[in-house]
Amino acid sequence: MELTKVTALMKATALELAILTGHLVLYPSGIVAERLSPATPPAALTPGRRPVLLLHGFVDNRSVFVLLRRSLTRNGRHSVESLNYSPLTCDLRTAAELLGRRVDEIRARTGHAEVDIVGHSLGGLIARYYVQRLGGDSRVRTLVMLGTPHSGTTVAPLADAHPLVRQMRPGSAVLRELAGPSPGCRTRFVSFWSDLDQVMVPAETARLDHPDLLVHNVRVSGIGHLALPVHPTVATGVREALDAGGPEASGRREEEPGATSVA
């Protein structure tokens, strides 16, 4: 491995450890479900500013989105909520059904016909299942996924004892469902993947490639898996992705731009 690659990996690993330490401190604050915002009067609805729902990854909770949520609210997204699914959940499909109920509740409470979703890791896969397999594409305008194993990850083989981990393995029944035809899917998908993500093995598994979906893949360079939902450069990219999903968005398939370096 080249010296530059080794140096970049060492920097990314040090950052991951620092983020993990901070997240362990915040983790208890995210165990309890958040208090929901009150219903929005029709006159207060902001055109083009759909509610945003944040969905965490495996063995995590809403505390992982503290910084991203702050970034979104400071930049005009006034309705941002997080969903905790139970740590006892053993089937991704069950979590997707829960997500669907929360989306419908947000729509009824806020008066918006559609929401945007940001999912980290497994959270992105849960949201994708909801959109593709449970009719969520009529309710979700943009789905942003951060380090999501679209083709399955082979990391930590000893973790296969957990059913959710098995569903994230290459060739699982859930991933085969998602790889199947999805004609007419209306949601716009944006998938951020990092070349130094050590949880996504191989790293390219976090790219979404599907012939029926409107996909925008964003390659990030210089950070690892835990940094994706907290790094300010990624937060900027998430805001831009959500804004690009406005009424003016076209129905064409989008190609991946050059790598975004955050080193």
Side-chain angles (χ1 to χ4, degrees):
M1 186 179 295
E2 299 177 8
L3 179 59
T4 54
K5 291 183 178 180
V6 173
T7 302
L9 182 58
M10 291 177 62
K11 289 181 178 179
T13 302
L15 179 60
E16 290 284 279
L17 291 174
I19 292 172
L20 177 60
T21 301
H23 188 38
L24 289 175
V25 173
L26 290 174
Y27 191 92
S29 68
I31 294 176
V32 179
E34 68 182 7
R35 183 179 302 175
L36 301 182
S37 59
T40 304
L45 292 177
T46 306
R49 292 291 184 178
R50 292 171 296 279
V52 180
L53 182 58
L54 308 175
L55 192 60
H56 63 81
F58 182 61
V59 298
D60 211 338
N61 62 38
R62 62 187 178 88
S63 64
V64 72
F65 291 117
V66 168
L67 296 180
L68 178 58
R69 183 172 189 159
R70 184 180 304 166
S71 174
L72 291 172
T73 55
R74 285 180 175 176
N75 287 273
R77 294 279 174 165
H78 301 301
S79 178
V80 182
E81 301 181 9
S82 301
L83 171 64
N84 278 0
Y85 52 90
S86 171
L88 301 179
T89 300
C90 291
D91 190 345
L92 184 152
R93 303 174 186 87
T94 300
E97 292 171 357
L98 171 65
L99 172 61
R101 293 194 293 271
R102 180 62 174 274
V103 167
D104 286 342
E105 188 275 331
I106 291 174
R107 292 169 62 241
R109 177 161 41 86
T110 65
H112 283 274
E114 296 176 312
V115 305
D116 293 327
I117 298 178
V118 180
H120 179 227
S121 196
L122 173 62
L125 209 58
I126 292 170
R128 186 182 160 197
Y129 192 93
Y130 166 63
V131 167
Q132 280 188 247
R133 307 298 296 178
L134 301 180
D137 64 313
S138 65
R139 300 167 178 84
V140 178
R141 173 65 65 85
T142 300
L143 169 55
V144 178
M145 298 157 290
L146 310 174
T148 292
H150 298 294
S151 301
T153 177
T154 59
V155 73
L158 294 181
D160 279 357
H162 198 290
L164 280 180
V165 174
R166 293 198 297 271
Q167 290 183 330
M168 289 188 284
R169 294 305 192 201
S172 73
V174 166
L175 293 184
R176 290 199 303 271
E177 282 188 66
L178 292 176
S182 293
C185 185
R186 289 161 282 188
T187 296
R188 176 174 178 268
F189 297 83
V190 182
S191 190
F192 287 78
W193 67 282
S194 174
D195 57 356
L196 295 182
D197 190 332
Q198 301 299 300
V199 176
M200 297 296 104
V201 180
E204 291 78 10
T205 190
R207 280 181 48 95
L208 175 55
D209 295 300
H210 193 295
D212 294 334
L213 304 181
L214 177 64
V215 179
H216 183 72
N217 286 300
V218 181
R219 180 186 174 203
V220 180
S221 178
I223 62 174
H225 191 72
L226 297 178
L228 285 167
V230 304
H231 200 285
T233 301
V234 177
T236 298
V238 170
R239 296 198 311 268
E240 292 174 348
L242 296 179
D243 290 342
E248 72 283 3
S250 66
R252 63 182 175 82
R253 184 172 183 82
E254 301 182 32
E255 299 299 329
E256 178 175 324
T260 298
S261 177
V262 297

